Amino acid sequence: MNESSPNIAQKSPYAIDVEAGKSYWWCACGNSKTQPFCDGSHKGGAFTPREYQAEKSATVYFCGCKHSAKAPLCDGSHKQL
Ligand code: FES
Ligand code: FES
């Protein structure tokens, strides 16, 4: 893995049904086996997971490419990769 750029887990978002009031830890490094969430695989690397707090229960699109400017959510940047 490159030190400064994350691994592309997939070039599209993950649609996840989140629950109001819950916290989710989005994988920023791209190496987790349980995408889009952190499984601890970032240890020793340059990335740490990002917390997402659900304000309401809804379907949320988490960034799978790890290059979103609005991480942890997809902003369409995956189309440039
Ligand atoms: Fe990717 Fe933890 S496994 S940030
Ligand atoms: Fe990363 Fe869309 S999946 S910006």
Side-chain angles (χ1 to χ4, degrees):
M1 177 177 107
N2 185 305
E3 273 297 300
S4 56
S5 72
N7 195 36
I8 296 169
Q10 69 173 28
K11 289 186 183 174
S12 57
Y14 293 88
I16 302 288
D17 293 327
V18 298
E19 267 180 61
K22 271 198 166 184
S23 270
Y24 298 83
W25 291 91
W26 174 77
C27 168
C29 72
N31 292 325
S32 172
K33 299 279 187 283
T34 57
Q35 293 296 331
F37 304 119
C38 174
D39 71 351
S41 298
H42 61 271
K43 286 199 183 80
F47 295 91
T48 51
R50 184 110 35 115
E51 185 175 15
Y52 175 84
Q53 290 185 319
E55 285 169 14
K56 54 179 184 174
S57 296
T59 302
V60 163
Y61 293 86
F62 285 99
C63 173
C65 74
K66 314 304 178 184
H67 286 72
S68 174
K70 294 196 177 140
L73 304 180
C74 171
D75 72 348
S77 295
H78 61 268
K79 295 183 189 125
Q80 296 349 300
L81 298 171

Coordinates of all heavy atoms in Angstrom, one line a residue:
M1 N 0.8 -1.2 0.0 CA 0.0 0.0 0.0 C 0.9 1.2 0.0 O 1.8 1.3 0.7 CB -0.9 0.0 1.2 CG -1.8 1.2 1.4 SD -2.9 1.1 2.8 CE -2.1 2.2 3.9
N2 N 0.5 2.2 -0.8 CA 1.1 3.5 -0.8 C 0.9 4.2 0.5 O -0.3 4.2 1.0 CB 0.6 4.3 -2.0 CG 1.3 5.7 -2.2 OD1 1.3 6.5 -1.3 ND2 1.8 5.9 -3.4
E3 N 1.9 4.9 1.0 CA 1.7 5.6 2.3 C 0.7 6.7 2.3 O 0.0 6.9 3.3 CB 3.1 6.2 2.7 CG 4.0 5.2 3.5 CD 3.4 4.7 4.8 OE1 3.1 5.6 5.6 OE2 3.2 3.5 4.9
S4 N 0.6 7.4 1.2 CA -0.2 8.6 1.2 C -1.5 8.5 0.5 O -2.4 9.4 0.6 CB 0.6 9.8 0.7 OG 1.0 9.5 -0.6
S5 N -1.7 7.5 -0.3 CA -3.0 7.4 -0.9 C -3.7 6.1 -0.5 O -3.1 5.1 -0.4 CB -2.9 7.5 -2.4 OG -2.3 6.3 -3.0
P6 N -5.1 6.2 -0.3 CA -5.8 5.1 0.2 C -6.0 4.0 -0.9 O -5.9 4.4 -2.1 CB -7.1 5.7 0.6 CG -7.3 6.9 -0.2 CD -5.9 7.4 -0.5
N7 N -6.2 2.8 -0.5 CA -6.5 1.7 -1.5 C -8.0 1.9 -1.9 O -8.9 2.2 -1.1 CB -6.4 0.4 -0.7 CG -6.3 -0.8 -1.6 OD1 -5.8 -0.7 -2.7 ND2 -6.9 -1.9 -1.2
I8 N -8.2 1.7 -3.2 CA -9.6 1.8 -3.7 C -10.3 0.5 -3.5 O -10.0 -0.6 -4.1 CB -9.6 2.1 -5.2 CG1 -9.0 3.5 -5.5 CG2 -11.0 2.0 -5.8 CD1 -8.7 3.8 -6.9
A9 N -11.2 0.5 -2.5 CA -12.0 -0.8 -2.2 C -12.9 -1.2 -3.3 O -12.9 -2.3 -3.8 CB -12.7 -0.6 -0.9
Q10 N -13.6 -0.2 -3.8 CA -14.4 -0.3 -5.1 C -14.8 1.0 -5.6 O -14.8 2.0 -4.8 CB -15.7 -1.2 -4.8 CG -16.8 -0.5 -4.0 CD -18.1 -1.2 -3.9 OE1 -18.1 -2.5 -4.0 NE2 -19.2 -0.5 -3.7
K11 N -15.0 1.1 -6.9 CA -15.2 2.4 -7.5 C -16.7 2.8 -7.6 O -17.2 3.2 -8.6 CB -14.6 2.4 -9.0 CG -13.1 2.5 -9.0 CD -12.5 2.6 -10.4 CE -11.0 2.5 -10.3 NZ -10.5 2.5 -11.7
S12 N -17.3 2.6 -6.5 CA -18.7 2.9 -6.3 C -19.1 2.9 -4.8 O -18.3 2.3 -4.0 CB -19.6 2.0 -7.1 OG -19.4 0.6 -6.6
P13 N -20.1 3.6 -4.5 CA -20.5 3.7 -3.0 C -21.1 2.4 -2.5 O -21.6 1.6 -3.3 CB -21.4 4.9 -3.0 CG -22.1 5.0 -4.3 CD -21.0 4.5 -5.3
Y14 N -21.1 2.3 -1.2 CA -21.9 1.3 -0.5 C -23.1 1.9 0.1 O -23.1 2.8 0.8 CB -21.0 0.7 0.6 CG -19.8 0.0 0.2 CD1 -18.6 0.7 0.1 CD2 -19.8 -1.4 0.0 CE1 -17.4 0.0 -0.3 CE2 -18.6 -2.1 -0.3 CZ -17.4 -1.4 -0.5 OH -16.3 -2.0 -0.8
A15 N -24.3 1.3 -0.3 CA -25.6 1.7 0.2 C -25.8 1.0 1.6 O -25.9 -0.2 1.6 CB -26.7 1.5 -0.7
I16 N -25.9 1.8 2.6 CA -26.0 1.2 4.0 C -27.2 1.8 4.7 O -27.4 3.0 4.6 CB -24.8 1.4 4.8 CG1 -23.5 0.9 4.2 CG2 -25.0 0.9 6.2 CD1 -23.4 -0.6 4.1
D17 N -28.1 1.0 5.3 CA -29.2 1.5 6.1 C -28.7 1.8 7.5 O -28.4 0.9 8.2 CB -30.3 0.5 6.1 CG -31.0 0.3 4.8 OD1 -31.1 1.2 4.0 OD2 -31.4 -0.9 4.5
V18 N -28.6 3.1 7.8 CA -28.1 3.4 9.1 C -29.2 3.7 10.1 O -30.3 4.0 9.6 CB -27.1 4.7 9.1 CG1 -25.9 4.4 8.2 CG2 -27.9 5.9 8.6
E19 N -28.9 3.6 11.4 CA -30.0 3.8 12.4 C -29.7 5.1 13.1 O -28.6 5.3 13.6 CB -29.9 2.6 13.4 CG -30.8 1.5 13.1 CD -30.6 0.4 14.2 OE1 -30.9 0.7 15.4 OE2 -30.2 -0.7 13.8
A20 N -30.7 5.8 13.4 CA -30.6 7.1 14.1 C -29.9 6.9 15.4 O -30.2 6.0 16.2 CB -32.0 7.7 14.3
G21 N -28.9 7.8 15.7 CA -28.3 7.8 17.0 C -27.1 6.8 17.1 O -26.3 6.9 18.0
K22 N -26.9 6.0 16.0 CA -25.7 5.1 16.0 C -24.5 5.7 15.4 O -24.6 6.6 14.5 CB -26.1 3.8 15.2 CG -26.7 2.7 16.1 CD -26.6 1.4 15.3 CE -27.0 0.2 16.2 NZ -26.8 -1.0 15.4
S23 N -23.3 5.3 15.8 CA -22.0 5.7 15.2 C -21.5 4.5 14.3 O -21.6 3.4 14.6 CB -21.0 5.9 16.3 OG -21.0 7.2 16.7
Y24 N -20.9 5.0 13.2 CA -20.3 4.0 12.3 C -18.9 4.5 12.0 O -18.7 5.7 11.9 CB -21.1 4.0 11.0 CG -22.6 3.5 11.2 CD1 -23.5 4.4 11.6 CD2 -22.9 2.2 11.0 CE1 -24.9 4.0 11.8 CE2 -24.2 1.8 11.2 CZ -25.2 2.7 11.6 OH -26.5 2.3 11.8
W25 N -18.0 3.5 11.8 CA -16.6 3.9 11.6 C -16.2 3.5 10.2 O -16.0 2.3 9.9 CB -15.7 3.2 12.6 CG -15.9 3.8 14.0 CD1 -16.8 3.4 14.9 CD2 -15.3 5.0 14.5 NE1 -16.8 4.3 16.0 CE2 -15.8 5.2 15.8 CE3 -14.3 5.8 14.0 CZ2 -15.4 6.3 16.6 CZ3 -13.9 6.9 14.8 CH2 -14.5 7.1 16.1
W26 N -16.2 4.5 9.3 CA -15.9 4.3 7.9 C -14.4 4.0 7.7 O -13.5 4.7 8.3 CB -16.3 5.5 7.2 CG -16.0 5.6 5.7 CD1 -16.6 5.0 4.7 CD2 -14.9 6.4 5.1 NE1 -16.0 5.3 3.5 CE2 -15.0 6.2 3.7 CE3 -13.9 7.2 5.6 CZ2 -14.1 6.7 2.8 CZ3 -13.1 7.8 4.7 CH2 -13.2 7.6 3.3
C27 N -14.1 3.0 6.9 CA -12.7 2.7 6.6 C -12.1 3.7 5.6 O -12.7 3.9 4.5 CB -12.6 1.3 6.0 SG -11.0 0.9 5.2
A28 N -11.1 4.4 6.0 CA -10.5 5.5 5.2 C -9.3 4.9 4.4 O -9.0 5.4 3.3 CB -9.9 6.6 6.1
C29 N -8.7 3.8 4.8 CA -7.5 3.3 4.2 C -7.9 2.4 3.0 O -7.0 2.2 2.1 CB -6.7 2.5 5.2 SG -7.4 0.9 5.7
G30 N -9.1 1.8 3.0 CA -9.5 0.9 1.9 C -9.1 -0.5 2.0 O -9.4 -1.3 1.1
N31 N -8.5 -0.9 3.1 CA -8.0 -2.2 3.3 C -8.9 -3.1 4.1 O -8.6 -4.3 4.2 CB -6.6 -2.2 3.9 CG -5.6 -1.6 2.9 OD1 -5.6 -1.8 1.7 ND2 -4.6 -0.8 3.4
S32 N -9.9 -2.6 4.7 CA -10.8 -3.4 5.5 C -11.4 -4.5 4.7 O -11.8 -4.3 3.5 CB -11.9 -2.5 6.1 OG -12.8 -3.3 6.8
K33 N -11.6 -5.7 5.3 CA -12.3 -6.8 4.7 C -13.8 -6.6 4.9 O -14.6 -7.4 4.4 CB -11.9 -8.1 5.2 CG -10.4 -8.4 5.0 CD -10.1 -8.9 3.6 CE -8.7 -9.3 3.4 NZ -7.8 -8.1 3.2
T34 N -14.2 -5.7 5.7 CA -15.7 -5.5 6.0 C -16.1 -4.1 5.6 O -16.6 -3.3 6.3 CB -16.0 -5.7 7.5 OG1 -15.1 -4.8 8.3 CG2 -15.6 -7.1 8.0
Q35 N -15.9 -3.8 4.3 CA -16.3 -2.5 3.7 C -17.8 -2.2 3.8 O -18.5 -3.2 3.7 CB -15.8 -2.5 2.2 CG -14.3 -2.5 2.0 CD -13.7 -1.2 2.6 OE1 -14.3 -0.1 2.6 NE2 -12.4 -1.4 3.0
P36 N -18.1 -1.0 4.0 CA -17.3 0.2 4.0 C -16.7 0.5 5.4 O -16.2 1.6 5.6 CB -18.2 1.3 3.6 CG -19.5 0.9 4.2 CD -19.6 -0.6 4.1
F37 N -16.8 -0.4 6.3 CA -16.4 -0.1 7.7 C -15.0 -0.6 8.0 O -14.5 -1.6 7.4 CB -17.4 -0.6 8.6 CG -18.8 0.0 8.3 CD1 -19.9 -0.8 8.0 CD2 -19.0 1.4 8.3 CE1 -21.1 -0.3 7.7 CE2 -20.2 1.9 8.0 CZ -21.3 1.1 7.7
C38 N -14.4 0.0 9.0 CA -13.1 -0.4 9.5 C -13.1 -1.7 10.2 O -14.0 -2.0 11.0 CB -12.6 0.7 10.5 SG -11.1 0.4 11.3
D39 N -12.1 -2.5 9.9 CA -11.9 -3.8 10.7 C -10.6 -3.8 11.4 O -10.1 -4.9 11.8 CB -12.1 -5.0 9.7 CG -10.9 -5.2 8.8 OD1 -10.0 -4.2 8.7 OD2 -10.9 -6.2 8.1
G40 N -9.9 -2.7 11.5 CA -8.6 -2.6 12.1 C -7.4 -2.8 11.2 O -6.2 -2.7 11.7
S41 N -7.6 -3.1 9.9 CA -6.5 -3.3 9.0 C -5.6 -2.1 8.7 O -4.5 -2.3 8.2 CB -7.1 -3.8 7.6 OG -7.8 -5.0 7.8
H42 N -6.1 -0.9 9.1 CA -5.3 0.3 8.9 C -4.1 0.4 9.8 O -3.2 1.2 9.6 CB -6.1 1.5 9.2 CG -6.7 1.6 10.6 ND1 -7.8 1.0 10.9 CD2 -6.1 2.1 11.7 CE1 -8.0 1.2 12.2 NE2 -7.0 1.9 12.7
K43 N -4.0 -0.5 10.8 CA -2.9 -0.4 11.8 C -1.5 -0.4 11.2 O -1.2 -1.2 10.3 CB -3.0 -1.5 12.8 CG -4.2 -1.2 13.8 CD -4.0 -2.1 15.1 CE -5.3 -1.8 16.0 NZ -6.4 -2.7 15.5
G44 N -0.7 0.6 11.5 CA 0.6 0.7 11.0 C 0.7 1.6 9.7 O 1.8 1.9 9.3
G45 N -0.4 2.0 9.2 CA -0.5 2.8 8.0 C -0.8 4.2 8.3 O -0.8 4.6 9.5
A46 N -1.0 5.0 7.3 CA -1.2 6.5 7.4 C -2.6 6.9 7.7 O -2.9 8.0 8.0 CB -0.7 7.1 6.1
F47 N -3.6 5.9 7.7 CA -5.0 6.2 7.8 C -5.6 5.7 9.0 O -5.2 4.7 9.6 CB -5.7 5.7 6.6 CG -5.3 6.3 5.3 CD1 -4.3 5.7 4.5 CD2 -5.9 7.5 4.8 CE1 -3.9 6.3 3.4 CE2 -5.5 8.0 3.7 CZ -4.5 7.5 2.9
T48 N -6.6 6.5 9.5 CA -7.4 6.0 10.6 C -8.9 6.2 10.2 O -9.2 7.0 9.3 CB -7.2 6.9 11.9 OG1 -7.3 8.3 11.5 CG2 -5.8 6.6 12.4
P49 N -9.8 5.4 10.8 CA -11.2 5.4 10.4 C -11.8 6.7 10.8 O -11.4 7.5 11.6 CB -11.8 4.3 11.2 CG -10.9 4.1 12.4 CD -9.5 4.4 11.9
R50 N -12.9 7.0 10.0 CA -13.7 8.3 10.3 C -15.0 7.9 10.8 O -15.7 7.1 10.3 CB -13.8 9.0 8.9 CG -14.5 10.4 9.0 CD -13.5 11.6 8.8 NE -12.5 11.4 7.8 CZ -12.4 12.1 6.7 NH1 -13.3 12.9 6.3 NH2 -11.3 12.0 5.9
E51 N -15.4 8.6 11.9 CA -16.7 8.4 12.5 C -17.9 9.0 11.7 O -17.7 10.2 11.3 CB -16.7 8.8 13.9 CG -18.0 8.5 14.6 CD -18.0 8.9 16.1 OE1 -17.1 9.7 16.5 OE2 -18.8 8.4 16.9
Y52 N -18.9 8.3 11.5 CA -20.2 8.8 11.0 C -21.3 8.6 12.0 O -21.5 7.5 12.4 CB -20.5 8.1 9.7 CG -21.8 8.6 9.1 CD1 -21.9 9.8 8.3 CD2 -23.0 7.9 9.4 CE1 -23.1 10.2 7.8 CE2 -24.2 8.4 8.9 CZ -24.3 9.5 8.1 OH -25.5 10.0 7.6
Q53 N -21.9 9.7 12.4 CA -23.0 9.6 13.4 C -24.3 9.8 12.6 O -24.5 10.9 12.0 CB -22.8 10.7 14.5 CG -21.7 10.3 15.4 CD -21.6 11.3 16.6 OE1 -21.8 12.5 16.4 NE2 -21.3 10.8 17.7
A54 N -25.2 8.8 12.7 CA -26.4 8.9 12.0 C -27.4 9.8 12.8 O -27.7 9.5 13.9 CB -27.0 7.5 11.8
E55 N -27.9 10.8 12.2 CA -28.9 11.7 12.8 C -30.3 11.2 12.7 O -31.1 11.4 13.5 CB -28.8 13.1 12.2 CG -27.6 13.9 12.8 CD -27.3 15.1 12.0 OE1 -28.2 15.6 11.3 OE2 -26.2 15.7 12.1
K56 N -30.5 10.4 11.6 CA -31.8 9.8 11.4 C -31.6 8.5 10.7 O -30.5 8.2 10.1 CB -32.7 10.7 10.5 CG -32.0 11.1 9.2 CD -32.9 12.0 8.4 CE -32.3 12.3 7.0 NZ -33.1 13.0 6.1
S57 N -32.6 7.6 10.8 CA -32.5 6.3 10.1 C -32.8 6.6 8.6 O -33.8 7.2 8.2 CB -33.5 5.4 10.7 OG -33.2 5.1 12.0
A58 N -31.8 6.1 7.8 CA -31.9 6.4 6.3 C -30.9 5.5 5.6 O -30.1 4.9 6.2 CB -31.6 7.8 6.1
T59 N -31.0 5.5 4.3 CA -30.0 4.8 3.5 C -29.0 5.8 3.1 O -29.3 6.9 2.7 CB -30.6 4.3 2.2 OG1 -31.7 3.4 2.5 CG2 -29.6 3.5 1.4
V60 N -27.7 5.5 3.4 CA -26.6 6.4 3.3 C -25.6 5.7 2.3 O -25.4 4.5 2.3 CB -25.9 6.6 4.7 CG1 -24.6 7.2 4.5 CG2 -26.8 7.5 5.5
Y61 N -25.0 6.6 1.5 CA -24.0 6.1 0.5 C -22.6 6.4 0.9 O -22.1 7.5 0.8 CB -24.3 6.7 -0.9 CG -25.6 6.1 -1.4 CD1 -26.8 6.8 -1.0 CD2 -25.7 4.9 -2.1 CE1 -28.1 6.2 -1.4 CE2 -26.9 4.4 -2.5 CZ -28.1 5.1 -2.2 OH -29.3 4.5 -2.6
F62 N -21.9 5.4 1.5 CA -20.6 5.5 2.0 C -19.6 5.4 0.8 O -19.8 4.5 -0.1 CB -20.2 4.5 3.0 CG -20.9 4.8 4.4 CD1 -22.0 4.1 4.8 CD2 -20.3 5.6 5.3 CE1 -22.6 4.4 6.0 CE2 -20.8 5.9 6.5 CZ -22.0 5.3 6.9
C63 N -18.6 6.2 0.8 CA -17.6 6.2 -0.3 C -16.8 4.8 -0.3 O -16.3 4.5 0.8 CB -16.6 7.3 -0.1 SG -15.2 7.3 -1.2
G64 N -16.8 4.2 -1.4 CA -16.0 2.9 -1.5 C -14.7 3.1 -2.1 O -13.8 2.3 -1.9
C65 N -14.5 4.2 -2.9 CA -13.2 4.5 -3.6 C -12.2 5.1 -2.7 O -11.0 5.2 -3.0 CB -13.4 5.3 -4.8 SG -13.8 7.1 -4.5
K66 N -12.7 5.7 -1.5 CA -11.8 6.4 -0.5 C -11.2 7.7 -1.0 O -10.3 8.2 -0.4 CB -10.7 5.4 0.0 CG -11.2 4.0 0.3 CD -12.4 4.0 1.3 CE -12.9 2.6 1.6 NZ -14.0 2.6 2.5
H67 N -11.7 8.2 -2.1 CA -11.2 9.5 -2.6 C -12.2 10.6 -2.5 O -12.0 11.7 -3.1 CB -10.7 9.3 -4.0 CG -9.4 8.6 -4.1 ND1 -9.3 7.2 -3.9 CD2 -8.2 9.0 -4.4 CE1 -8.0 6.8 -4.0 NE2 -7.3 7.9 -4.4
S68 N -13.3 10.4 -1.9 CA -14.4 11.5 -1.8 C -13.9 12.7 -1.0 O -13.2 12.5 0.0 CB -15.6 10.9 -1.1 OG -16.6 11.9 -0.9
A69 N -14.2 13.9 -1.5 CA -13.9 15.1 -0.7 C -14.9 15.3 0.4 O -14.7 16.1 1.3 CB -13.9 16.3 -1.6
K70 N -16.0 14.5 0.4 CA -17.0 14.6 1.4 C -17.1 13.3 2.3 O -18.1 12.9 2.8 CB -18.4 14.9 0.8 CG -18.4 16.2 0.2 CD -19.9 16.7 -0.1 CE -19.9 18.1 -0.7 NZ -20.9 18.2 -1.7
A71 N -15.9 12.7 2.4 CA -15.8 11.4 3.1 C -16.4 11.6 4.5 O -16.1 12.7 5.1 CB -14.4 10.9 3.2
P72 N -17.1 10.6 5.1 CA -17.2 9.3 4.6 C -18.2 9.0 3.5 O -18.4 7.9 3.1 CB -17.5 8.5 5.9 CG -18.3 9.5 6.7 CD -17.7 10.8 6.4
L73 N -18.9 10.1 3.1 CA -20.0 9.9 2.1 C -19.5 10.1 0.7 O -18.5 10.8 0.4 CB -21.1 10.8 2.4 CG -21.7 10.7 3.8 CD1 -22.9 11.6 4.0 CD2 -22.2 9.2 4.1
C74 N -20.1 9.4 -0.3 CA -19.7 9.5 -1.7 C -20.1 10.8 -2.2 O -21.2 11.3 -1.9 CB -20.5 8.4 -2.5 SG -20.4 8.5 -4.3
D75 N -19.2 11.5 -3.0 CA -19.5 12.8 -3.6 C -19.4 12.7 -5.1 O -19.4 13.7 -5.8 CB -18.6 13.9 -3.1 CG -17.2 13.8 -3.5 OD1 -16.8 12.7 -4.1 OD2 -16.4 14.7 -3.3
G76 N -19.3 11.5 -5.6 CA -19.2 11.3 -7.1 C -17.7 11.3 -7.6 O -17.5 11.0 -8.8
S77 N -16.8 11.5 -6.7 CA -15.4 11.5 -7.2 C -14.9 10.2 -7.8 O -14.0 10.2 -8.6 CB -14.4 11.8 -6.0 OG -14.7 13.1 -5.5
H78 N -15.6 9.1 -7.4 CA -15.2 7.8 -8.0 C -15.3 7.8 -9.5 O -14.6 7.0 -10.1 CB -16.1 6.7 -7.4 CG -17.5 6.8 -7.7 ND1 -18.4 7.5 -6.9 CD2 -18.2 6.4 -8.8 CE1 -19.6 7.4 -7.4 NE2 -19.5 6.8 -8.5
K79 N -16.0 8.6 -10.1 CA -16.2 8.7 -11.6 C -14.9 9.2 -12.2 O -14.7 9.0 -13.4 CB -17.3 9.6 -12.0 CG -18.7 9.0 -11.5 CD -19.8 9.8 -12.0 CE -21.1 9.4 -11.4 NZ -21.8 10.5 -10.7
Q80 N -14.0 9.9 -11.5 CA -12.8 10.4 -12.0 C -11.6 9.4 -11.9 O -10.5 9.6 -12.4 CB -12.3 11.6 -11.2 CG -13.1 12.9 -11.2 CD -14.2 13.1 -12.1 OE1 -14.0 13.0 -13.3 NE2 -15.4 13.3 -11.6
L81 N -11.8 8.3 -11.3 CA -10.7 7.3 -11.0 C -10.6 6.3 -12.2 O -11.5 6.0 -12.8 CB -11.0 6.6 -9.7 CG -11.0 7.5 -8.5 CD1 -11.5 6.7 -7.2 CD2 -9.6 8.1 -8.2
Ligands
FES1 FE1 -9.4 1.0 6.9 FE2 -9.4 0.8 9.6 S1 -9.3 -0.8 8.2 S2 -9.4 2.6 8.3
FES2 FE1 -15.9 7.3 -3.5 FE2 -18.1 7.8 -4.8 S1 -17.4 5.9 -4.0 S2 -16.7 9.2 -4.2

